[in-house]
């Protein structure tokens, strides 16, 4: 114990002596220096020296390997070596298919290859093509305005018939205002990006057509698809989004559906969707291309069909190239929504306006429809006759809704590959045209289309078809299907 | 942007055909231009705004009877897509005709020009491809390029040397981040740029693209039918062989007085597009009367209707454009664009001058188009004049008088005017 205390005290003494010696040597040169009231002590020199060393190290650049940009010769070599792919992939024999050309108007009876056929390919649901009043109005319009409008809507392309047509559409559907587009396909893909931007959430049906898909892609929003026409899937999707997303209140949220799906003929259950929309506070964008003039007792579309007031739908768009027997599209809703599109919808601002005779045709179509609502009853009757005729067809089932004018026949048992299915269905359509003079088509998909619903044969029923036409079609298809797919 | 103060300068409705003279409907507003209501009064104005280059906008003596006949035979619409029974014999004839007019092996026609660009580019280009487009390309091309998913790079407007620089850099670098080589590169230019009135430097750009193995896409929306000796567009005017341009696109709205767009290229490309392009598979086919208008107007241009009205129209528009442009420049206005181009923007620069210029001209019964942000940069506002073959020499003189007067009032004669033309026919001719 004593030894340890003695050792520790010796060590302490030694240390004290060293420190004193250090202090005195360092103090010696500056023992009398006083700067700014501070005594300059020895330790300051060490501290200053350390500071200088630290600053020097910090100012050194970190080591980077030297950059060597490519020389011109190297770039030339790379450019010479690079071989582009051909502009298009090589074509196999499917690409050489040409659809049959019709030689007269696309009415229920038309001429293909010199023969008269029953036409189920044209979406002329109310049979207005070839109507005398329509043709008279168009002829007068052509004489007065010529064919084209020669300018976009902002630069003297707005003709008074456009404004009349917009007012007529708004009056017919009961909305404050509407806007005309010059092409049906561009309506949806210009309207959606005008409202939904990057970061917003859109819930869309997986079976929507390409125009809507393109609009969703161009809007750069987050898109979530739900199962085709399945209200439970929609409910689950909305629930998931509501729980997952804490910032939900700050984002814009939309549901995009079609009233009558182009790709399957199903009708959207609007009353239930409205309930979900109100619960989760989303906005609805509804595409009524195939339901204007078809659904509802006076042809006002899906909202009339379900008895929902149209104010609950935030935006209704439609392609006029179906029941209304003209071309172009329109969008309708409340005033602020429509006015916004006049400045920011690219398909409206940067494109020439609708040719005036087509706007006149639309106005006449509405006039005829309002005066003669029997056309809708006749259409509904025709649909049910065709349904009865086509049920029990061998190898094919009807995939569309019972009230839809698009009757969609798909294979009962798919072969597994879409190409094979399409080949079988095309041979059915071709034989039906050649032997029985019944003109039907298969649904064709573009390589860009994301829709994965099954392909099928599509028949468009029109109010202009007679019962004998429908009977002829059902018998022909029954016979040909049995022939191609084997009887059952 | 909320231009309520000069909302009345845009979207003026008309109530007659957009010919050389037309009826502009007067509008009034009760709430400071927030809503404009139509009145029943119309004023007959000289039309310097519509795209009516060859004067086919109004009823034409050769075209309109044939159009009405087609209307009675085929109805205003086919109500179905081209692949579904919307192809009539007329559509096939139209495509062959357009292909032979443009001097390409085959063509495909769509119902709308905007959709043509937006739906073709996604089919041809995809991920891993590069699109190099001119910085002032039209919105439809920009939309189509965005929709394709390819990488987009821009080169300075109409400068082939910068295009070459961009190409070299991009080919050497490869795709961003992975540096894999590009699958294909396409360069998109327009024939006449609608906001500048300039012609594209096509021969140099084609030479650059050939050297670096890039594909070319030419958008002739404003130039087809309006320039060139026989109206065949910039390729004819600048002496470029059409086989060197891979894809030629155009619209029928401007020179042919109809609607719709076309793509012309080799047979394989057109067959491929007919099989895959969404606008062909899902969009309604072009309205048959509009198709007939295109066929008839091309016949008139080529002289196949038995008269030489086509050649007269082409000569007239060239003469009119050159005369108007030189007179405006003599008066001291700053006019953009090349010779022979029927589009001439007059620079206003200051956006506050837009409503003044537009309203004053309308008071004197001249209807002009003024363009502001966002179609042009904010401080480069301009008034764009579109000359037509149906303007007569008196119409142009009246327009020059009015524009000169309004130009003095508004203060846009930025260059010194040439001295007065003295002693023509023994009298001094004064324009202002």
């Amino acid at each position: 114990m004593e030894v340890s205390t003695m050792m520790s005290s010796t060590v302490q003494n030694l240390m004290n002596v060293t420190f004193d010696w250090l202090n005195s040597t360092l103090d010696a040169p500056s023992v009398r220096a006083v700067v700014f009231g501070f005594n300059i002590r020895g330790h300051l020199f060490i501290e200053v020296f350390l500071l200088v060393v630290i600053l020097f190290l910090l100012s050194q650049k970190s080591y980077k390997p030297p950059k060597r940009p490519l020389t011109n010769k190297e770039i030339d070599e790379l450019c010479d070596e690079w071989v582009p792919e051909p502009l298009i992939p090589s074509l196999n024999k499917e690409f050489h298919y040409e659809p049959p050309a019709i030689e007269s108007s696309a009415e229920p009876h038309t001429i293909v290859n010199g023969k008269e056929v029953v036409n189920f390919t044209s979406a002329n649901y109310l049979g207005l093509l070839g109507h005398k009043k329509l043709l008279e109005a168009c002829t007068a319009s052509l004489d007065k305005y010529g064919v084209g409008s020669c300018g976009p809507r902002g630069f003297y392309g707005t003709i008074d018939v456009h404004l009349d047509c917009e007012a007529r559409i708004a009056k017919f559907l009961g909305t404050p205002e509407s806007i005309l587009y010059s092409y049906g396909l561009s309506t949806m893909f210009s309207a959606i990006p005008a409202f939904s931007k990057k970061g917003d959430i859109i819930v869309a049906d997986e079976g929507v057509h390409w125009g809507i898909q393109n609009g969703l892609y161009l809007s750069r929003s987050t898109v979530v698809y739900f199962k085709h026409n399945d209200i439970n899937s929609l409910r689950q999707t909305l629930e998931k989004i509501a729980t997952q997303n804490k910032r939900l209140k700050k984002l814009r949220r939309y549901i995009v559906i079609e009233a009558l799906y182009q790709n399957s003929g199903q009708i959207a259950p609007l009353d239930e969707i409205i309930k979900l929309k109100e619960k989760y506070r989303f906005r609805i964008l509804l595409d009524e291309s195939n339901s204007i003039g078809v659904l509802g007792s006076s042809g006002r579309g899906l909202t009339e069909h379900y008895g929902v007031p149209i104010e609950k739908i935030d935006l209704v768009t439609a392609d006029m190239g179906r029941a209304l027997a003209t071309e172009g599209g329109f969008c309708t809703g409340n005033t602020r929504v429509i006015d916004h599109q006049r400045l920011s919808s690219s398909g409206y601002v940067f494109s020439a306006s609708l040719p005036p005779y087509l706007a006149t045709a639309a106005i006449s179509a509405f006039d005829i429809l309002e005066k003669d609502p029997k056309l809708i009853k006749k259409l509904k009757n025709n649909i049910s006759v065709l349904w009865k005729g086509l049920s029990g067809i061998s190898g094919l089932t009807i995939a569309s809704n019972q009230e839809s004018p698009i009757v969609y026949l798909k294979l009962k048992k798919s072969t597994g590959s879409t190409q094979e299915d399409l080949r079988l269905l095309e041979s059915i359509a071709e034989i039906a045209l050649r032997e029985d003079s019944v003109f039907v088509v298969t649904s064709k998909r573009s390589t860009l289309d994301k829709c994965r619903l099954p392909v099928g044969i599509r028949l468009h029923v029109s109010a202009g078809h007679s019962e004998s036409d429908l009977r002829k079609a059902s018998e022909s298809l029954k016979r040909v299907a049995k022939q191609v797919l084997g009887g059952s | 942007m909320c231009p309520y103060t000069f909302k009345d300068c845009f979207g003026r409705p008309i109530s007659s055909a957009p010919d050389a003279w037309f009826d502009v409907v007067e509008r009034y507003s009760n709430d400071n231009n927030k809503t404009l209501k139509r009145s029943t009064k119309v004023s007959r104005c000289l039309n310097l705004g519509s795209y009516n280059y060859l004067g086919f906008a109004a009823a034409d003596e050769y075209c309109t009877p044939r159009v009405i006949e087609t209307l009675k035979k085929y109805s205003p619409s086919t109500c179905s897509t081209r692949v579904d029974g919307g192809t009539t014999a007329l559509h096939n004839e139209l495509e062959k005709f357009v292909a032979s007019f443009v001097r390409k092996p085959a063509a495909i026609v769509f119902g709308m020009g905007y959709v043509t660009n937006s739906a073709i580019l996604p089919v041809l280009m995809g991920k891993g491809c590069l699109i190099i487009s001119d910085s002032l390309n039209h919105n439809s091309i920009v939309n189509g390029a965005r929709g394709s998913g390819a990488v987009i790079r821009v080169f300075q407007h109409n400068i082939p040397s910068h295009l070459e620089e961009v190409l070299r850099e991009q080919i050497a670098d490869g795709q961003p981040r992975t540096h894999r080589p590009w699958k294909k590169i396409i360069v998109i230019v327009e024939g006449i740029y609608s906001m500048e009135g300039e012609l594209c430097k096509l021969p140099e750009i084609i030479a650059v693209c050939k050297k670096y193995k890039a594909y070319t896409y030419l958008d002739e929306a404003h130039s087809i039918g309006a320039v060139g000796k026989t109206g065949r567009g910039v390729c004819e005017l600048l002496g470029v062989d059409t086989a060197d341009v891979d894809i030629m696109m155009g619209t029928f709205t401007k020179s042919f007085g109809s609607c719709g767009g076309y793509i012309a290229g080799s047979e394989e490309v057109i067959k491929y597009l007919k099989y895959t392009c969404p606008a062909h598979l899902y969009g309604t086919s072009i309205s048959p009367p509009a198709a007939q208008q295109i066929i008839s107007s091309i016949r008139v241009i080529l002289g196949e209707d038995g008269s030489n009205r086509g050649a007269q129209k082409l000569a007239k528009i060239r003469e009119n454009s050159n005369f108007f442009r030189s007179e405006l420049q003599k008066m001291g206005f700053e006019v953009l664009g090349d010779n022979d181009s029927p589009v001439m923007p007059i620079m206003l620069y200051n956006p506050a001058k837009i409503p003044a210029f537009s309203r004053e001209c309308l008071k004197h019964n001249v209807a002009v188009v003024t363009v502001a942000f966002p179609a042009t940069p904010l401080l480069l506002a301009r008034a764009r004049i579109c000359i037509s073959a149906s303007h007569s020499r008196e119409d142009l003189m009246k327009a020059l008088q009015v524009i000169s007067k309004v130009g003095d009032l508004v203060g846009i004669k930025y260059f010194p005017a040439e001295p007065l033309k003295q002693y023509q026919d023994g009298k001094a001719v004064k324009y202002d």
Side-chain angles (χ1 to χ4, degrees):
Chain A
M1 276 290 276
E2 284 184 3
V3 176
S4 54
T5 37
M6 258 179 64
M7 274 187 68
S8 56
S9 60
T10 331
V11 166
Q12 247 177 334
N13 279 339
L14 210 60
M15 278 175 63
N16 284 336
V17 162
T18 337
F19 277 141
D20 287 339
W21 175 80
L22 215 55
N23 272 335
S24 57
T25 33
L26 288 177
D27 275 343
S30 60
V31 73
R32 276 185 238 283
V34 176
V35 177
F36 298 125
F38 290 108
N39 282 329
I40 291 201
R41 311 290 303 275
H43 63 87
L44 274 171
F45 286 116
I46 300 190
E47 280 155 15
V48 168
F49 175 66
L50 282 174
L51 197 63
V52 169
V53 168
I54 290 171
L55 283 174
F56 174 69
L57 286 174
L58 279 176
S59 66
Q60 289 293 314
K61 285 191 215 165
S62 57
Y63 175 71
K64 280 195 185 108
K67 267 197 181 160
R68 287 172 22 192
L70 296 171
T71 59
N72 271 342
K73 188 155 157 311
E74 283 168 340
I75 297 184
D76 282 337
E77 270 172 35
L78 282 168
C79 292
D80 282 333
E81 269 174 17
W82 177 69
V83 174
E85 276 181 13
L87 191 55
I88 46 165
S90 55
L91 308 174
N92 47 23
K93 68 171 167 54
E94 309 174 319
F95 289 87
H96 296 273
Y97 167 76
E98 293 268 348
I102 63 177
E103 286 149 24
S104 76
S105 162
E107 294 176 35
H109 289 259
T110 182
I111 304 179
V112 173
N113 284 336
K115 255 191 340 177
E116 188 177 312
V117 298
V118 182
N119 185 8
F120 283 97
T121 63
S122 147
N124 169 24
Y125 303 133
L126 298 173
L128 291 177
L129 283 182
H131 198 282
K132 213 161 53 93
K133 280 219 187 69
L134 203 73
L135 292 179
E136 274 169 16
C138 287
T139 314
S141 184
L142 282 172
D143 276 328
K144 184 170 180 201
Y145 298 110
V147 176
S149 58
C150 298
R153 287 292 291 261
F155 301 153
Y156 304 109
T158 306
I159 307 188
D160 49 3
V161 284
H162 291 139
L163 301 172
D164 290 334
C165 189
E166 289 178 357
R168 192 77 173 77
I169 295 172
K171 195 168 93 156
F172 182 70
L173 290 175
T175 51
E177 227 181 281
S178 65
I179 179 176
L180 266 186
Y181 283 85
S182 45
Y183 200 54
L185 199 61
S186 70
T187 313
M188 245 327 190
F189 81 62
S190 308
I192 297 182
F195 294 105
S196 183
K197 308 284 181 197
K198 189 165 183 173
D200 297 335
I201 298 188
I202 303 186
V203 176
D205 188 298
E206 66 180 3
V208 288
H209 64 78
W210 180 81
I212 300 183
Q213 289 171 22
N214 199 24
L216 298 174
Y217 182 73
L218 285 173
S219 69
R220 302 200 240 205
S221 319
T222 327
V223 182
V224 182
Y225 289 102
F226 66 91
K227 284 214 202 69
H228 180 57
N229 219 19
D230 184 349
I231 194 81
N232 288 326
S233 168
L234 175 60
R235 192 177 294 127
Q236 281 167 6
T237 319
L238 293 175
E239 187 68 51
K240 202 160 72 166
I241 294 179
T243 48
Q244 270 180 0
N245 228 316
K246 297 187 190 55
R247 288 179 58 237
L248 200 64
K249 292 228 169 32
K250 300 205 186 100
L251 297 171
R252 288 181 278 251
R253 316 176 279 284
Y254 301 96
I255 301 179
V256 174
I257 49 174
E258 278 178 60
L260 215 158
Y261 290 93
Q262 176 81 5
N263 283 326
S264 71
Q266 297 285 331
I267 299 184
L270 190 64
D271 47 352
E272 306 196 20
I273 296 181
I274 293 275
K275 289 202 202 96
L276 284 177
K277 162 207 165 187
E278 286 176 347
K279 176 174 171 194
Y280 293 99
R281 299 163 70 93
F282 271 63
R283 294 193 173 100
I284 289 199
L285 306 179
L286 181 65
D287 181 67
E288 291 226 52
S289 306
N290 290 304
S291 60
I292 288 280
V294 172
L295 293 181
S297 55
S298 62
R300 284 176 167 81
L302 194 67
T303 46
E304 195 183 21
H305 185 76
Y306 279 103
V308 170
I310 197 160
E311 293 83 34
K312 294 216 167 149
I313 312 283
D314 300 282
L315 191 72
V316 175
T317 60
D319 176 352
M320 297 200 287
R322 315 257 173 208
L324 299 173
T326 175
E327 291 209 11
F330 67 82
C331 211
T332 183
N334 77 36
T335 317
R336 290 198 63 189
V337 165
I338 299 300
D339 259 346
H340 175 77
Q341 285 180 51
R342 290 196 201 274
L343 282 178
S344 45
S345 170
S346 34
Y348 179 82
V349 171
F350 293 107
S351 161
S353 53
L354 189 66
Y357 74 95
L358 292 172
T360 325
I363 300 178
S364 325
F366 279 118
D367 285 337
I368 298 173
L369 178 58
E370 278 198 335
K371 221 183 294 185
D372 197 11
K374 295 202 306 296
L375 289 169
I376 305 177
K377 284 209 191 61
K378 183 145 193 290
L379 175 64
K380 287 201 197 335
N381 198 19
N382 283 358
I383 299 173
S384 59
V385 167
L386 192 62
W387 247 80
K388 269 207 282 289
L390 286 178
S391 41
I393 192 171
S394 61
L396 299 170
T397 52
I398 308 187
S400 56
N401 189 299
Q402 231 169 346
E403 297 182 50
S404 126
I406 304 180
V407 178
Y408 210 84
L409 293 166
K410 69 170 198 245
L411 289 169
K412 263 200 194 121
K413 233 177 28 176
S414 156
T415 56
S417 103
T418 325
Q419 300 284 48
E420 267 308 309
D421 287 349
L422 207 57
R423 218 164 281 169
L424 283 172
L425 294 166
E426 266 171 22
S427 53
I428 297 180
E430 199 206 350
I431 300 177
L433 176 61
R434 200 178 32 181
E435 296 178 9
D436 296 327
S437 299
V438 170
F439 191 17
V440 296
V441 272
T442 54
S443 61
K444 302 206 177 35
R445 292 273 159 74
S446 161
T447 43
L448 299 176
D449 198 340
K450 289 204 201 81
C451 174
R452 293 281 164 264
L453 296 178
V455 293
I457 296 185
R458 194 165 44 198
L459 289 106
H460 294 269
V461 183
S462 161
H465 284 129
S466 62
E467 297 231 353
S468 57
D469 293 333
L470 303 168
R471 239 195 325 262
K472 183 172 175 188
S474 13
E475 281 165 11
S476 155
L477 282 173
K478 277 203 178 110
R479 186 184 69 85
V480 177
K482 204 164 186 172
Q483 185 183 332
V484 172
L485 299 171
S488 73
Chain B
M1 192 191 91
C2 162
Y4 283 142
T5 40
F6 48 101
K7 194 169 162 183
D8 62 312
C9 298
F10 301 105
R12 292 193 180 131
I14 64 178
S15 68
S16 73
D19 202 9
W21 284 83
F22 63 175
D23 297 322
V24 176
V25 175
E26 289 176 12
R27 299 186 288 177
Y28 65 92
S29 172
N30 292 331
D31 53 359
N32 241 348
N33 272 358
K34 252 188 149 181
T35 53
L36 291 159
K37 298 200 192 7
R38 280 193 282 176
S39 70
T40 43
K41 283 205 309 214
V42 290
S43 52
R44 191 114 185 114
C45 297
L46 176 63
N47 184 0
L48 291 177
S50 297
Y51 301 136
N52 178 21
Y53 299 140
L54 293 178
F56 282 113
D60 184 82
E61 59 193 14
Y62 179 78
C63 302
T64 313
R66 286 175 175 68
V67 170
I68 295 187
E69 208 182 292
T70 311
L71 173 72
K72 295 209 171 81
K73 184 173 177 198
Y74 286 107
S75 288
S77 165
T78 54
C79 287
S80 59
T81 64
R82 283 291 299 276
V83 286
D84 268 358
T87 305
T88 60
L90 196 63
H91 289 102
N92 288 336
E93 189 192 330
L94 173 64
E95 289 184 347
K96 284 202 197 69
F97 216 66
V98 167
S100 74
F101 181 66
V102 175
R103 292 203 179 123
K104 275 285 206 186
I108 179 175
V109 171
F110 299 98
M112 181 188 174
Y114 189 94
V115 164
T116 313
N117 272 329
S118 306
I120 287 289
L121 288 169
V123 173
L124 294 173
M125 299 280 127
K127 280 206 155 51
C129 302
L130 175 66
I131 298 182
I132 305 184
S133 87
D134 190 292
S135 56
L136 295 178
N137 268 340
H138 189 253
N139 186 277
S140 55
I141 299 177
V142 172
N143 250 349
R146 284 207 192 128
S148 66
V151 174
I152 308 176
R153 292 278 175 266
V154 162
F155 72 94
Q156 281 169 15
H157 174 59
N158 233 0
I159 300 184
S161 54
H162 190 245
L163 171 63
E164 178 159 9
E165 235 178 81
V166 170
L167 269 169
R168 284 171 65 87
E169 193 189 309
Q170 290 299 321
I171 297 180
D173 251 352
Q175 296 188 27
R177 292 170 65 227
T178 56
H179 295 290
R180 290 204 194 113
W182 296 106
K183 290 198 188 143
K184 21 186 167 158
I185 301 186
I186 196 167
V187 174
I188 308 184
V189 288
E190 288 187 30
I192 291 186
Y193 291 93
S194 55
M195 287 301 156
E196 320 292 314
E198 283 181 338
L199 294 165
C200 136
K201 293 201 175 89
L202 198 58
E204 294 92 341
I205 292 182
I206 300 277
V208 167
C209 292
K210 273 197 140 125
K211 184 168 162 201
Y212 292 95
K213 296 174 260 178
Y215 299 111
T216 38
Y217 183 105
L218 178 64
D219 178 337
E220 290 214 78
H222 285 266
S223 51
I224 190 76
V227 296
K229 206 153 66 79
T230 52
R232 287 182 156 96
V234 274
C235 287
E236 189 181 23
L237 186 68
L238 300 174
V240 172
D241 186 8
T242 51
D244 287 338
V245 182
D246 295 294
I247 303 199
M248 293 173 64
M249 176 261 172
T251 61
F252 300 117
T253 340
K254 281 90 181 176
S255 313
F256 303 101
S258 175
C259 66
Y262 70 88
I263 296 267
S266 65
E267 295 254 6
E268 292 81 31
V269 169
I270 299 297
K271 273 213 174 71
Y272 179 72
L273 289 174
K274 280 193 174 164
Y275 192 75
T276 53
C277 176
H280 193 245
L281 297 175
Y282 302 126
T284 327
S285 54
I286 185 176
S287 168
Q292 179 63 16
Q293 164 78 7
I294 302 166
I295 298 179
S296 312
S297 55
I298 295 184
R299 284 221 163 93
V300 172
I301 294 175
L302 293 177
E304 286 177 20
D305 63 329
S307 71
N308 65 345
R309 277 198 312 145
Q312 276 177 358
K313 281 182 195 273
L314 287 165
K316 195 93 202 309
I317 188 176
R318 203 171 22 250
E319 199 189 300
N320 281 354
S321 332
N322 289 340
F323 169 70
F324 206 75
R325 181 176 266 116
S326 59
E327 290 302 319
L328 282 177
Q329 280 171 337
K330 276 193 216 146
M331 282 197 251
F333 289 102
E334 181 171 351
V335 182
L336 305 180
D338 295 331
N339 265 337
D340 279 351
S341 143
V343 177
M344 39 196 95
I346 304 179
M347 294 307 293
L348 300 172
Y349 288 113
N350 187 344
K353 297 191 179 174
I354 297 173
F357 190 81
S358 180
R359 287 175 193 154
E360 282 301 312
C361 282
L362 193 64
K363 268 200 213 127
H364 291 100
N365 288 350
V366 169
V368 294
V369 160
T370 45
V371 193
F373 183 81
T376 58
L378 185 62
L379 293 175
L380 295 178
R382 59 201 75 176
R384 186 181 68 179
I385 309 267
C386 291
I387 296 293
S388 153
S390 51
H391 286 136
S392 64
R393 192 46 85 97
E394 291 83 31
D395 296 335
L396 295 181
M397 303 284 259
K398 169 172 162 96
L400 284 166
Q401 267 177 349
V402 170
I403 292 181
S404 183
K405 201 180 332 183
V406 177
D408 278 330
L409 197 65
V410 173
I412 50 175
K413 286 189 179 169
Y414 296 116
F415 287 144
E418 279 190 15
L420 291 178
K421 242 176 126 155
Q422 302 265 342
Y423 302 112
Q424 191 181 43
D425 297 326
K427 304 183 261 198
V429 177
K430 214 167 170 302
Y431 287 141
D432 55 353

